[in-house]
Amino acid sequence: MPLPLPRPPALLKGLVAIVLAAAFAAQAVAALLPHVPLLLAATTVSLATEGVLYRWQRGVLSLFAKSHADITVRHVLRDLLLVVGLLRLGEQDRESVYAPLVAGLLAFYVLHCAIQAVSVLVRRTRTLPVVTRNIDASALRLSKAPSVLLRRPGHRLLVFGLPATAGLLAAAPGDEPVYAAAGIALSLTLALTGLGALLFRLLPGRRPAGEQEVLDWFEAWLADYRPTVGLYFSGGASSAYQANMWLEPLAKTDGKPVIVLRERFMVQKIAATDIPIVCLPKVSTLMRLEHSTLQVLIHPSNSGKTSQVVRIPTIRHTFVNHGESDKLSSCNPYAKAYDEVWVAGPAARERYALAEVGVEDKDVVETGRPQLDAVRPYAGPPAGACTTVLYAPTWEGWDGNPGNTSVIAAGENLVRALLADPGVRLLYKPHPLTGSVDPRAGAADLRIRELIRAANRERTGARRPTDGAELARLTEELDRLTTTVFRAGADTVERMRVQSAPEPGRAAAVARATAAWEEAYWASLPEGEHQIITDARPALYSCFNAADLLISDVSSVISDFLASEKPYAVANTSGLPEEAFRTAFPTVAAATVLTPDAAGVPSLLETVRNPEKDDLAEARAALKLRLLGPADPPSQERFDAAVRALCEEARAHRARVAERLRAELPGQRSEPASDGAGLPTAAPR
């Protein structure tokens, strides 16, 4: 079934722009003639189009702004044309009647400019150098944000100026200046009220703490909380999953964890956690960590801002990546900038050695993948009537390599082959970035989704749950624990105020609620119904536990899935022969390799349903050991040990530096006191 063609947004934007331009032209003609009906109609259409722009076509607003025809210019022109029309309707001496009204209108626009200037000042006072979450920051005099109407000049001018425009319109038919006077008076009243509300927020006791006061508070918090290990992350909005996968391992460490971010918007992208979160946008603020008790920073990804933090000499830095695969990105040369690189197992160590990117073997530490402790092991062939297959392709990547993702060349064939088997239940979970670089991947993803929906419509006899009340209750409970509801228009300061220190025991409650929700979710699904999974819930590892088979690409997904030792297959869209493909990508060693035409899907399903035909079980166990390391001790224990060892190295380094400083400054030989974390206090002056 062909997909419906989307509406061309460029055409729609152009149409709206033409309508607005035509309305202004008609208003100008009507004002000069003068022609009252046309003046009324053109002005009404102009105002209605403005409302459409701000409600549905905000992209057109930027086009007008680039043409020096922003909302202020348009609003002034609209009112000016109304005044011209009113002046031309009456006798020649009408100027003296309308002069006070014109003066009042000009006063309104002066107030509008004043409100905008004061709103900028208010915004600056509410732009703090440190943004926090899960920390009690009440000492910073945090308050609710001003009304959105006062912060957005376009909305404000439309609302506050509407009475004046309406009054001028009402005065035109009967040539009654009193209506215009009433409308302008109301607009002036609204503007004065808004200006007063903003000025009130600039009073010393009504604005948040100043920059230096916030920085002093932040240093005091660091001294009181005494963090030892942190997660450092910087990136775009869609990359937050890279940090989120390390939240639980970080929370389980023995030290005092903290999350360090660089982008203000990222504070709300981090998943539910009780770990204190600090966002330090400026480098100068970031450098205050140098003299804190923070000893280790864990980096799940590389970014341009990573170079700013690795310069801090008192902190040890380790790269853990957000997943391991055979891709070149898993052994990026930037990794040599870190003190250590933590990998899952021996395969990654070998990968760095072969890549020759400057990472020395002594700096590679095998810690396993602590997140995978939640992945349940293989428990035999499918027990029910359906074989659950998880198709989780990766995205197209930045380099244009056709072997990155199977979605374009093989996705539809794979899905058709799976849907053709009546005993298969398909779980389709595409990568969040699918289609972000190559439009072909996005188009193929949409076609795959439609294939699945069509298959569900044709499938009959599916068992539907009799009551979804339990799942709804658990969803509500989990949302209550993990989601913070903000007032409409809340800014960063207001969110800090709402997201204060978490209630004791919230993390454990979230873990219990998540487990209960996942169990209820899978139980609630109709038997045999295919699923398109794009939401944050259920998580990927929960899909692993529900699946009997994984089909994916060369990515960290297959490495993680190996923790279960269940059968998996990899689509070969690289153009390499199978033998060369297996040689180039060691993670494929225990996989069934599928060609783009998906011809091998029926035989693959046969081996999943009949384990005696599965010739790769031993290979999967061996590859799991090579990729993820031993199961004993558990990965979380190895991760904790690596954290402790690197913290100890950081403390030893600080002690050596302090000793050298004392030796180089013979006038300051007095023995410094220790702060209890291996950090010497400042020597007396």
Side-chain angles (χ1 to χ4, degrees):
M1 179 183 297
L3 293 175
L5 293 175
R7 291 184 302 173
L11 180 61
L12 187 59
K13 291 179 180 179
L15 180 61
V16 173
I18 291 172
V19 170
L20 186 59
F24 273 112
Q27 190 182 12
V29 171
L32 294 174
L33 287 178
H35 190 280
V36 173
L38 181 59
L39 184 64
L40 294 174
T43 305
T44 302
V45 171
S46 175
L47 286 171
T49 307
E50 291 281 7
V52 171
L53 286 176
Y54 275 90
R55 182 63 179 85
W56 292 292
Q57 294 293 321
R58 297 185 63 84
V60 183
L61 297 175
S62 61
L63 298 179
F64 280 114
K66 292 177 182 177
S67 304
H68 304 286
D70 60 10
I71 179 62
T72 303
V73 173
R74 297 195 303 272
H75 212 283
V76 169
L77 178 60
R78 187 182 297 113
D79 286 348
L80 178 62
L81 289 174
L82 283 173
V83 171
V84 170
L86 288 172
L87 291 175
R88 291 182 62 81
L89 284 174
E91 303 295 332
Q92 294 298 319
D93 61 350
R94 301 297 290 172
E95 288 86 349
S96 60
V97 176
Y98 282 95
L101 299 181
V102 173
L105 197 60
L106 292 175
F108 166 74
Y109 283 108
V110 170
L111 285 174
H112 166 70
C113 294
I115 293 174
Q116 181 58 22
V118 176
S119 70
V120 171
L121 293 177
V122 171
R123 184 175 69 247
R124 289 179 179 175
T125 65
R126 298 179 67 83
T127 303
L128 305 184
V130 179
V131 180
T132 66
R133 186 176 134 194
N134 297 336
I135 298 174
D136 182 5
S138 57
L140 301 181
R141 300 189 300 279
L142 307 179
S143 60
K144 289 184 177 181
S147 169
V148 174
L149 196 62
L150 298 177
R151 288 150 47 197
R152 297 180 182 174
H155 288 78
R156 181 177 64 245
L157 189 55
L158 281 175
V159 175
F160 286 5
L162 184 60
T165 304
L168 293 171
L169 270 177
D175 194 17
E176 295 287 346
V178 65
Y179 294 122
I184 293 172
L186 181 55
S187 289
L188 285 170
T189 301
L190 292 174
L192 285 170
T193 303
L195 181 61
L198 288 175
L199 288 172
F200 182 72
R201 288 179 171 271
L202 290 178
L203 295 176
R206 294 292 178 176
R207 58 189 178 198
E211 181 173 356
Q212 188 56 50
E213 187 177 352
V214 173
L215 294 177
D216 292 342
W217 170 87
F218 176 58
E219 290 194 340
W221 178 83
L222 287 173
D224 179 64
Y225 180 67
R226 305 180 64 77
T228 56
V229 56
L231 180 76
Y232 178 90
F233 190 73
S234 171
S238 60
S239 63
Y241 73 94
Q242 300 172 358
N244 288 334
M245 67 170 57
W246 286 100
L247 296 181
E248 187 173 352
L250 180 67
K252 292 180 179 178
T253 56
D254 297 333
K256 299 289 286 293
V258 65
I259 298 171
V260 180
L261 306 176
R262 302 302 307 282
E263 293 82 19
R264 297 175 188 273
F265 69 83
M266 190 61 71
V267 174
Q268 302 306 322
K269 297 293 182 179
I270 299 299
T273 179
D274 286 358
I275 302 173
I277 299 174
V278 295
C279 177
L280 312 174
K282 294 182 180 179
V283 177
S284 58
T285 310
L286 180 71
M287 290 301 148
R288 291 175 181 264
L289 296 176
E290 180 176 357
H291 302 292
S292 71
T293 57
L294 189 61
Q295 299 157 16
V296 168
L297 276 177
I298 297 170
H299 299 257
S301 68
N302 297 311
S303 72
K305 295 180 180 178
T306 301
S307 62
Q308 298 171 349
V309 73
V310 296
R311 293 183 297 171
I312 299 180
T314 58
I315 299 176
R316 285 293 184 254
H317 303 269
T318 180
F319 182 59
V320 295
N321 214 334
H322 52 275
E324 292 186 12
S325 70
D326 293 322
K327 293 180 181 178
L328 292 177
S329 58
S330 289
C331 48
N332 192 305
Y334 196 91
K336 62 186 175 186
Y338 303 97
D339 297 289
E340 291 185 353
V341 175
W342 294 356
V343 299
R349 180 187 294 275
E350 297 168 11
R351 189 182 303 122
Y352 273 106
L354 293 173
E356 298 182 358
V357 293
V359 177
E360 298 185 31
D361 186 72
K362 65 180 180 63
D363 295 327
V364 178
V365 180
E366 297 175 28
T367 62
R369 292 272 289 168
Q371 302 92 334
L372 301 182
D373 291 347
V375 177
R376 293 196 292 266
Y378 178 66
C386 290
T387 301
T388 300
V389 181
L390 172 62
Y391 178 38
T394 190
W395 68 304
E396 58 270 24
W398 300 108
D399 57 6
N401 189 327
N404 285 344
T405 179
S406 60
V407 168
I408 299 174
E412 292 172 83
N413 293 333
L414 290 170
V415 169
R416 285 194 184 96
L418 292 168
L419 297 178
D421 189 317
V424 165
R425 176 180 68 159
L426 175 61
L427 309 179
Y428 175 54
K429 188 173 179 63
H431 193 283
L433 296 180
T434 298
S436 60
V437 173
D438 192 336
R440 296 177 302 165
D445 171 56
L446 292 177
R447 292 194 297 270
I448 289 172
R449 298 186 190 203
E450 183 55 32
L451 285 173
I452 296 172
R453 294 188 187 101
N456 278 335
R457 289 193 294 267
E458 295 174 2
R459 181 164 285 192
T460 59
R463 175 191 60 82
R464 292 203 171 269
T466 57
D467 184 11
E470 179 63 12
L471 180 62
R473 184 189 67 80
L474 291 172
T475 301
E476 182 179 352
E477 174 66 12
L478 190 54
D479 287 343
R480 184 187 66 80
L481 291 170
T482 61
T483 305
T484 303
V485 179
F486 299 108
R487 186 176 61 92
D491 63 0
T492 301
V493 169
E494 184 173 339
R495 291 188 179 100
M496 283 179 60
R497 182 172 179 252
V498 174
Q499 293 178 309
S500 187
E503 299 177 1
R506 187 184 66 172
V510 169
R512 291 192 300 269
T514 301
W517 182 91
E518 290 178 349
E519 182 179 355
Y521 170 81
W522 295 112
S524 70
L525 297 180
E527 185 177 4
E529 184 177 85
H530 311 298
Q531 302 296 321
I532 301 171
I533 302 173
T534 56
D535 294 334
R537 295 195 294 247
L540 178 62
Y541 297 157
S542 180
C543 295
F544 284 178
N545 292 333
D548 301 302
L549 166 69
L550 168 72
I551 299 178
S552 188
D553 306 320
V554 176
S555 70
S556 60
V557 172
I558 59 176
S559 302
D560 288 353
F561 189 76
L562 270 169
S564 69
E565 296 188 30
K566 295 177 183 178
Y568 72 103
V570 179
N572 179 11
T573 57
S574 65
L576 297 172
E578 180 176 331
E579 184 176 351
F581 183 64
R582 291 184 183 275
T583 301
F585 304 107
T587 53
V588 184
T592 297
V593 176
L594 297 175
T595 54
D597 60 5
V601 167
S603 59
L604 170 63
L605 293 172
E606 183 69 16
T607 61
V608 173
R609 292 161 177 161
N610 300 282
E612 66 276 6
K613 299 180 180 181
D614 183 5
D615 299 328
L616 296 170
E618 293 183 3
R620 289 196 299 273
L623 185 59
K624 172 189 174 182
L625 182 63
R626 185 163 173 261
L627 291 178
L628 304 177
D632 189 30
S635 183
Q636 183 66 48
E637 291 186 18
R638 286 183 281 155
F639 181 78
D640 292 346
V643 170
R644 289 192 297 270
L646 199 54
C647 284
E648 178 59 35
E649 183 179 329
R651 291 193 295 268
H653 172 261
R654 295 183 184 193
R656 291 193 299 269
V657 170
E659 184 63 30
R660 284 198 300 271
L661 289 176
R662 287 196 297 269
E664 293 170 1
L665 300 173
Q668 299 184 15
R669 292 284 188 171
S670 58
E671 200 68 28
S674 173
D675 68 354
L679 297 175
T681 57
R685 299 184 179 183

